[in-house]
Amino acid sequence: MRTLTVMLACAAALLSVSAGSFADEARAAQNERLLTELQATHDLSPEQMRRIREIFNGSRLIGQGNPAVTEHPMTPAECATTWRARRESAANATFERICAAKFMAPLYDPAHESPEKAQACIDQFEFPDIPCAYPVVWVKAKEAAELCEAEGKRLCDAHEWEGACDGRLLPPDYRFDLAQGVAADVAIGRMRAAHNNEYSPVKRWSYGLDYERGICAAGSHKSPDCNGGSWAHCGSNTYPAGSFPACHSTLGVYDLNGNAAEHMNLPLDPSQMSSRGSTTLGYTEMKGSWFIFDSYRAHEDWCRWRAPYWHGTRVLAEDSHANYHLGFRCCKTLQKPSATEAPPGR
């Protein structure tokens, strides 16, 4: 009996190793197809691609999910059919002219500005910012910032993502005064409470004033054996980017609700603002929601809501967080703010 038990244990171990090898090979092949499409879509240089490949190759997890357990509810071909049926295109010639890049949208306040006045743009879709491609997940905040930089972009500040979602970019509203002289977690808690209290009375989602089911990529499922964040058991059951064409803000940015949550930069002082040229950046901030929210709303996800300090670190920390439903998108500065501009905060 003992011999049989040992044999069964050895067989199980071999099967586990075999499954792991298959997943590694499948992920590598999947990533190679993704990177080929990324270069072709965004016309990236050989040096940009070298750096992007270096970042991908430095991770055992980064990609579009563990192929062994991921179950996407829609294929890229089905996503493309959805767009054709609506006789719509994700391409926007005006945006491309302003942002000097494909699939980016200008950030501005339509109440008193035109798109041409934008000083920054944001990816219209989650990275790789390609319509009908699955978002990249299992990416650390540090890797997200590095990938944006490799593309000639940057990780967005929290207020930029919020403006893209809410349909109007407001001036930075970080309460830096509440961060002085205290630990980062305390500062973030104080700043978060003040911010959420201010904007809660006027909450909205990217598509409208009330949460609606079926509008965004939030009707997928969690893997049955997912225990909260395991690579082996948690499938990244995302939709192709833009699968729900109605799920966009008035600024033309998609999937801010649903599909994958997103890394952003939360500054605790002006020197940490990506939008002001910081290269050291601030702390991790998770934005948006993910692919199961129509059946299980794990947390708030209105546009200007700021999350608790979950898995919090500096953005550029080596141990910054990654998981199966967390991706990112990038921003790009078009024009540096004037040196005489008033500092943010109140």
Side-chain angles (χ1 to χ4, degrees):
M1 176 64 74
R2 181 177 180 182
T3 301
L4 178 60
T5 300
V6 170
M7 290 175 64
L8 289 173
C10 290
L14 286 172
L15 285 172
S16 177
V17 170
S18 176
S21 298
F22 165 78
D24 288 343
E25 292 175 4
R27 185 181 71 90
Q30 185 181 73
N31 282 351
E32 185 55 39
R33 291 191 296 271
L34 166 66
L35 295 179
T36 298
E37 186 177 13
L38 179 72
Q39 182 173 22
T41 300
H42 296 297
D43 194 26
L44 300 175
S45 71
E47 176 56 26
Q48 287 175 307
M49 290 307 304
R50 183 202 65 76
R51 178 60 180 137
I52 290 169
R53 289 180 186 278
E54 182 178 59
I55 297 164
F56 267 69
N57 292 339
S59 170
R60 296 184 300 105
L61 304 177
I62 189 171
Q64 293 165 309
N66 181 353
V69 293
T70 291
E71 298 175 342
H72 296 297
M74 183 184 292
T75 66
E78 290 170 331
C79 171
T81 297
T82 298
W83 281 89
R84 286 195 297 269
R86 293 170 63 102
R87 297 183 179 180
E88 293 182 12
S89 171
N92 186 308
T94 300
F95 287 3
E96 188 169 343
R97 173 178 55 80
I98 294 169
C99 300
K102 289 183 178 178
F103 306 125
M104 297 197 81
L107 288 171
Y108 65 104
D109 184 351
H112 57 84
E113 294 175 314
S114 67
E116 288 76 9
K117 296 295 184 181
Q119 294 187 348
C121 290
I122 188 170
D123 288 345
Q124 290 184 269
F125 304 94
E126 294 153 331
F127 188 89
D129 192 29
I130 300 173
C132 294
Y134 296 118
V136 166
V137 291
W138 285 110
V139 55
K140 296 179 179 180
K142 181 179 188 290
E143 293 164 337
E146 291 170 342
L147 286 165
C148 289
E149 182 181 17
E151 286 195 317
K153 302 177 183 179
R154 58 179 174 78
L155 196 64
C156 307
D157 285 335
H159 80 280
E160 294 178 299
W161 189 99
E162 293 160 5
C165 181
D166 196 62
R168 57 192 184 117
L169 179 67
L170 300 180
D173 66 337
Y174 306 107
R175 290 289 306 275
F176 295 138
D177 58 302
L178 298 178
Q180 294 178 3
V182 297
D185 59 335
V186 176
I188 290 168
R190 289 178 175 180
M191 293 170 67
R192 171 182 181 268
H195 175 90
N196 289 349
N197 286 340
E198 179 174 353
Y199 290 104
S200 179
V202 291
K203 67 177 67 172
R204 62 171 291 130
W205 285 257
S206 58
Y207 48 79
L209 296 176
D210 299 298
Y211 186 90
E212 294 185 46
R213 289 178 170 81
I215 298 293
C216 293
S220 188
H221 65 284
K222 193 173 181 179
S223 301
D225 296 330
C226 181
N227 59 1
S230 164
W231 166 259
H233 299 289
C234 296
S236 300
N237 303 329
T238 54
Y239 293 80
S243 294
F244 293 76
C247 183
H248 66 80
S249 71
T250 55
L251 294 188
V253 186
Y254 293 81
D255 295 333
L256 295 154
N257 297 107
N259 219 20
E262 302 177 26
H263 287 298
M264 292 294 141
N265 176 56
L266 182 67
L268 299 193
D269 67 61
S271 70
Q272 297 174 359
M273 293 178 66
S274 169
S275 56
R276 297 282 174 91
S278 174
T279 57
T280 57
L281 303 181
Y283 289 79
T284 53
E285 164 79 354
M286 187 210 74
K287 305 305 273 181
S289 50
W290 43 294
F291 52 78
I292 66 166
F293 259 53
D294 277 358
S295 58
Y296 177 69
R297 295 181 65 186
H299 52 75
E300 298 278 4
D301 71 330
W302 42 278
C303 288
R304 296 193 187 274
W305 182 73
R306 289 190 184 158
Y309 193 44
W310 290 321
H311 309 286
T313 64
R314 291 295 293 261
V315 168
L316 297 182
E318 292 289 344
D319 62 345
S320 54
H321 186 57
N323 72 28
Y324 67 101
H325 60 74
L326 182 57
F328 69 103
R329 74 180 74 210
C330 305
C331 282
K332 176 183 176 182
T333 300
L334 301 182
Q335 178 181 336
K336 291 184 179 180
S338 168
T340 59
E341 183 177 351
R346 295 177 293 202

